[in-house]
Amino acid sequence: MLIKQLSVFLENRQGSLCEALEILGRHDIDLIALSLADTTEYGILRMIVSDPVEGQKVLREQGLTASLTDVIAIRVAHATGSLSKVMRKLADEVNVEYMYAFANGEDASAVMKISDPVKAKEILDQNNIKVWTAEEAYHLNQMK
């Protein structure tokens, strides 16, 4: 139910994002989804990649600070209001610490860091909301 998100702390300077992505590309690590948040001095690049453990390793070897975080990735219909319905079901029981979403054809996916992933999974299961497995999530763009 939980998948590994690769997070990288980047200096907020021109080219740092490109450097991190090039490192992953040179090691055949495919990007599935990403989010970039910044402050004045640094940014946090959060990614779902095809091999998060290897991604962390190769980024660290190049001197970048990289970590793995457990997240949940859900799948909802790519239709107006679908995500808000899921969020309403979760809102009374768990806190969504952060989230990023993307559409992928007929459906959409949302990657969420949740305060209580076990409770979230119960709620999602009770409401027949699909949760991506690690195998599915890491190879999402190859599943057509």
Side-chain angles (χ1 to χ4, degrees), residues 9-10 23 31 35 42 45 50 58-59 74 91 102 118 120 132-133:
F9 290 93
L10 297 174
I23 292 166
L31 294 172
S35 169
Y42 68 92
L45 175 60
S50 59
V58 300
L59 289 166
I74 63 167
F102 59 97
V118 173
W132 292 104
T133 66

Side-chain angles (χ1 to χ4, degrees), residues 1-3 71-75 120-121 124-125 129-134 136:
M1 116 178 142
L2 295 177
I3 63 173
V71 294
I72 292 176
I74 63 167
R75 182 177 178 173
K121 179 69 165 99
L124 296 169
D125 286 346
I129 298 165
K130 179 168 175 30
V131 176
W132 292 104
T133 66
E136 290 170 327

Side-chain angles (χ1 to χ4, degrees), residues 7-18:
S7 299
V8 186
F9 290 93
L10 297 174
E11 184 182 346
N12 193 354
R13 64 168 174 77
Q14 186 173 340
S16 64
L17 172 62
C18 187

Side-chain angles (χ1 to χ4, degrees), residues 31-43:
L31 294 172
I32 309 303
L34 66 82
S35 169
L36 179 62
D38 72 329
T39 66
T40 304
E41 297 182 21
Y42 68 92

